């Protein structure tokens, strides 16, 4: 399948691989100090460009990576308003097959992350065939912990990220494929 053909439509969002059209939203997201508190800190436009290209590249190298979250009813051409990134993530040295998330601050608290996380968890299990899904979360990142709990994930203890994030404090929240097959019933 061609990567540009991958598209998941859910109630309020479209999930698709990121592309160059996402850069302005991506850069604004990564420039926001509060948003990036648990995601490696605020980044310059140049760093954000490299970050976006890393995600796009991962789609080509691994066949998956995080999706861009596109607001369906944004009335914009080229697929709508970019509001965040979410989905499968497994770079070299990562502690497990992760579904991670990040929503732009003006769209946080509206249920978009939960809606997209459910679709991403389904994609990881149903399409990618993952047997386990983790979420690496800083113990002080309460909104992400609440989302992991809503998904049915549990804290499996501290874990370690690879360089250059080796000093970040993160816990391994997650669940098995079998647990997700049961937990997802509450979202159907």
């Amino acid at each position: 399948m061609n990567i540009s053909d991958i598209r998941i439509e859910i109630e309020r969002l479209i999930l698709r691989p990121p592309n160059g059209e996402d850069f302005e939203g991506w850069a604004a997201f990564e420039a926001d100090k509060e948003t990036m508190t648990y995601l490696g800190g605020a980044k310059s436009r140049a760093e954000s460009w490299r970050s976006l290209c890393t995600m796009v590249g991962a789609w080509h190298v691994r066949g998956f990576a995080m999706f861009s979250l596109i607001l369906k009813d944004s009335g914009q051409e080229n697929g709508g308003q970019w509001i965040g990134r979410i989905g499968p993530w497994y770079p070299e040295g990562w502690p497990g097959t992760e579904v991670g998330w990040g929503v732009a601050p003006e769209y946080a608290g509206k249920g978009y992350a939960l809606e997209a996380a459910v679709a991403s968890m389904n994609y990881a299990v149903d399409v990618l065939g993952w047997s386990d899904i983790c979420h690496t979360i800083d113990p002080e990142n309460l909104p992400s912990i609440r989302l992991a709990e809503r998904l049915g994930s549990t804290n499996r203890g501290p874990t370690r990220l690879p360089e250059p994030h080796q000093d970040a404090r993160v816990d391994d929240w997650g669940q098995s494929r079998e647990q997700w097959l049961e937990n997802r019933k509450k979202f159907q």
Side-chain angles (χ1 to χ4, degrees), residues 16-180:
R16 61 153 174 76
N19 62 46
E21 295 170 357
D22 301 335
F23 180 61
E24 290 305 323
W26 191 283
F29 172 88
E30 289 197 339
D32 186 89
K33 185 178 177 181
E34 187 173 326
T35 298
M36 295 299 289
T37 298
Y38 304 111
L39 300 173
K43 293 182 175 45
S44 68
R45 283 181 63 84
E47 290 171 312
S48 292
W49 176 255
R50 289 190 295 277
S51 168
L52 173 64
C53 290
T54 295
M55 202 63 68
V56 170
W59 272 99
H60 291 277
V61 171
R62 291 251 195 220
F64 65 86
M66 288 193 185
F67 297 102
S68 278
L69 295 182
I70 307 300
L71 194 58
K72 262 188 182 178
D73 298 326
S74 59
Q76 294 190 6
E77 293 183 32
N78 302 321
Q81 176 67 40
W82 186 94
I83 67 165
R85 60 186 186 214
I86 194 166
W89 186 234
Y90 189 51
E92 178 63 29
W94 216 249
T97 47
E98 178 166 22
V99 168
W101 48 76
V103 175
E106 60 270 30
Y107 298 98
K110 300 178 189 301
Y112 294 124
L114 177 62
E115 188 178 331
V118 168
S120 295
M121 298 278 284
N122 286 336
Y123 188 86
V125 166
D126 298 339
V127 176
L128 300 177
W130 287 3
S131 60
D132 188 79
I133 297 172
C134 76
H135 323 289
T136 55
I137 304 174
D138 185 294
E140 295 181 16
N141 187 346
L142 300 181
S144 281
I145 290 170
R146 285 192 294 272
L147 178 55
E149 289 173 334
R150 287 189 69 191
L151 293 168
S153 293
T154 58
N155 188 341
R156 302 185 290 196
T159 191
R160 189 169 174 171
L161 300 177
E163 293 181 4
H165 308 291
Q166 71 275 10
D167 295 329
R169 284 185 46 220
V170 292
D171 288 333
D172 171 9
W173 286 79
Q175 58 189 290
S176 69
R177 170 189 177 83
E178 292 73 26
Q179 289 169 318
W180 176 245

